[in-house]
Amino acid sequence: MAKVVIKDSPYNLKKAKILDVKTLTEKEKLFKLVFEDKTWLDFEPGQFIMVSLMGIGEIPVSICSSPLNRHYFEICVRAVGKVTNSLHKLKAGDIIGVRGPYGNGFPIKSLEGHDLLIIAGGLGIAPLRSLILYSIDNRRDFGEIHILFGCKTPGELLFEDEIEEWSKRLDIHFACTVDRADPDWKGNVGLITSLIPGVDIDPLRTYAAVVGPPVMYKFVIKELLAKGLPVDQILLSFERHMKCGMGKCGRCQIQNLYCCKDGPVFTFKEIMDMAEAL
Amino acid sequence: MKIEQYKLLEKSLLKDFINSLIPIANVYAPVSKGFNNYVFQNIKSADEVSIKYIPTIIPPKKFFLPKKENILQFFIEDELKVEPVTEYENLIIFGVHTCDIAGIKCLNMVLSDKPKDTAYLIRKKHVTIIGIECNDYCDEYASCSFVGAHMPTTGYDLMFTELSEYFIVHIHSSKGMDIIEKTDIFKDASIAQLEELKILRNNKMKIFNNEIPTERRYLPDLFDRSFNANVWKELEQKCLSCGNCTAVCPTCYCFDIKEEVDLTLKAGERYRVWFSCQLDPFAKVAGGHDFRKERSARQRHRFYRKFRYHIDRYGMVFCTGCGRCSRTCMAKINLKEVLTSLIRESEAKIWRKWL
């Protein structure tokens, strides 16, 4: 057996340095990253990268910063498994491996000129934050922007400072809800679906972007259809456990679609007849 | 059929030919393991080889996409260093049946699709494939004529076909030509032998008749209408979810990526290893949600990957008709039977559209 080093291997990693770690909640941390070779990550909102901790493993993570930010990129990670828990132990200055970006993000070109209805459940805010920041940076390219954000308890609210800022903006309609309130909570209480009937949108000129836990989609889509949104204007981003990110390993396959290559963002029209998708 | 592409080998000289390959490269050929089991194994002499064999336990995909393959080595001593690697060897696989060649063609299609799998392509470049044509069915599990893999078409360097007195050898690449030119035991073919080959192939069309009561071109339609068929629900009761069918399949290439650190904790390797859609953790995500929880859904996924999804993506049926999945299944799930009952069940719906 001859062994060779293949520099153009698609599994090659780029070294990324952690510039800053910010604790968002008990379980989620925000990592600010920059490539060691000073190149920047060229991506679209909604795309993901594969993050490696050598010796521990590799996981797909969505990028949550604005693609227009050339200084660094950010990922928001919840500690649930081996890799994510180890990632939470890292500090500024530590090095991790990154490859990507992979997948199709939100179709920015079709979104331009339309109203946006952004619906995030829990950690689903992470990929959507990229879209929100992008649309704020290019505010004039979009019509009305509605953001609906829901999570289980007020303690799990991510990006609190930014949310505060978005809710104060005059050009964004922002609403937030929690499933279970605590005594200090002054906002809405209820599932995210309870916010949808109240938003004032023109369904034909609105694109909805929905990201959340698997259980959320069915109910949100039902409400959006009741609002009159066309099926091809409902955008969903799916979670699967991608291993290669290149449409080979088969782990993320949804019938004939690969979530990593054809998605992770799909229109509802593409997947509405597919079992195993939602 | 161009006569220059064909050579003749006397039957008694086949062993000499195999022995002439051994100094050139590592030669792998089917070797009998008893109880009608065969394995592609490194041989030191032509005496070990079984010329007549039923498909081996594991197909030759193991040379192209090894069961476990290092893709990255890393060093974490002072500074992180990462090197993508691959391993290859010069090898000749002798005696590959046309079904397994079809399997290799399927893998080529997937792994040379963008982004290209460089490790696979490097390994493929160092493999020489010498095929042997089947003049009759290997056993009752084969369905190679249904998927069109019973005739040699492309994908090999040399193809041996047994005629009455000679082996006629089709030279299909310059790699194959080099091997022929290394020995002087081959003779030029004449028109008579080409005629005999033609007759043999025509005869084969009669011997290999369609094993499944439909035609290949109706597959997309059949599968489009059968997603909720009862056939899948019946498999729920039978399937044990052991993953044997996918391990032995020449076109199953799904894998997992894992890694190990060595004892010094300073270096390690990341590797990919065969995985199976039939196993429990395959379609699970972080929260514990499983997108294919039922065994019937997993079996259905396997069948759709063979006969439907990849037709859209790569324009090919990803079944080679080798019959390994049916031969190896502990619960006796038979691919030919499943397809036949699927056709029976959906006949009414489909005929209406065809007529």
Side-chain angles (χ1 to χ4, degrees), chain A residues 16 34 74 130 137 146 162 170 172-173 181 185 201-202 210 220-221 227 229 236 269:
Chain A
V34 66
E74 288 172 316
S130 180
D137 288 342
H146 302 265
E162 279 165 59
L170 298 176
I172 289 176
H173 308 278
W185 180 253
I201 51 164
D202 175 354
V210 187
V220 167
I221 290 165
K227 270 272 183 198
L229 246 81
L236 313 160
K269 191 182 176 187

Side-chain angles (χ1 to χ4, degrees), chain A residues 2-15 52 54 58 97-99 102 246, chain B residues 69-75 80-88 116-120 122-123 257 268-272:
Chain A
K3 200 173 194 177
V4 281
V5 174
I6 27 175
K7 277 280 169 260
D8 58 344
S9 163
Y11 295 103
N12 202 358
L13 302 171
K14 266 178 130 175
K15 283 194 260 181
S52 282
M54 300 323 295
E58 193 176 40
V98 169
R99 61 186 171 97
Y102 292 111
M246 298 174 277
Chain B
E69 176 195 5
N70 288 339
I71 51 174
L72 214 64
Q73 56 188 25
F74 52 86
F75 308 92
L80 174 69
K81 199 177 150 213
V82 178
E83 271 181 348
V85 289
T86 192
E87 283 178 341
Y88 68 88
K116 291 182 179 183
D117 195 283
T118 34
Y120 176 90
I122 288 174
R123 221 169 301 113
I257 295 180
E269 265 152 352
R270 176 172 289 173
Y271 57 90
R272 62 178 174 200

Side-chain angles (χ1 to χ4, degrees), chain A residues 39-234:
Chain A
T39 54
W40 68 69
L41 186 71
D42 201 356
F43 67 97
E44 298 162 17
Q47 281 193 300
F48 67 95
I49 50 173
M50 299 296 288
V51 172
S52 282
L53 287 186
M54 300 323 295
I56 296 160
E58 193 176 40
I59 47 160
V61 188
S62 57
I63 311 157
C64 69
S65 52
S66 168
L68 300 174
N69 184 341
R70 297 296 198 211
H71 304 293
Y72 57 84
F73 57 98
E74 288 172 316
I75 54 172
C76 176
V77 179
R78 174 180 289 171
V80 280
K82 200 168 59 169
V83 180
T84 47
N85 273 306
S86 315
L87 200 57
H88 270 233
K89 295 193 181 104
L90 298 185
K91 307 174 295 293
D94 289 336
I95 305 284
I96 60 171
V98 169
R99 61 186 171 97
Y102 292 111
N104 285 321
F106 293 100
I108 294 291
K109 282 282 160 274
S110 344
L111 298 186
E112 280 172 0
H114 288 85
D115 296 348
L116 297 182
L117 170 57
I118 292 168
I119 303 175
L123 196 53
I125 191 71
L128 287 172
R129 177 175 176 253
S130 180
L131 179 66
I132 294 169
L133 294 178
Y134 178 88
S135 54
I136 290 175
D137 288 342
N138 294 296
R139 188 61 191 89
R140 276 177 301 175
D141 292 344
F142 299 92
E144 300 284 322
I145 296 179
H146 302 265
I147 302 172
L148 308 181
F149 183 28
C151 55
K152 285 193 186 119
T153 62
E156 289 177 23
L157 210 58
L158 293 160
F159 303 111
E160 238 168 328
D161 311 347
E162 279 165 59
I163 280 171
E164 177 96 30
E165 209 180 290
W166 297 340
S167 62
K168 281 181 189 153
R169 281 184 76 115
L170 298 176
D171 54 359
I172 289 176
H173 308 278
F174 183 86
C176 189
T177 182
V178 292
D179 297 355
R180 287 183 307 279
D182 60 17
D184 296 334
W185 180 253
K186 293 184 188 69
N188 299 308
V189 179
L191 296 176
I192 185 125
T193 42
S194 64
L195 295 178
I196 300 172
V199 284
D200 181 23
I201 51 164
D202 175 354
L204 293 181
R205 44 169 293 138
T206 302
Y207 269 92
V210 187
V211 190
V215 50
M216 187 185 97
Y217 289 108
K218 247 173 243 175
F219 301 102
V220 167
I221 290 165
K222 211 171 131 191
E223 291 293 336
L224 292 177
L225 293 176
K227 270 272 183 198
L229 246 81
V231 284
D232 57 349
Q233 284 173 221
I234 301 175

Side-chain angles (χ1 to χ4, degrees), chain B residues 26-37:
Chain B
N26 280 327
V27 181
Y28 287 80
V31 172
S32 172
K33 293 283 164 184
F35 304 103
N36 214 11
N37 287 321

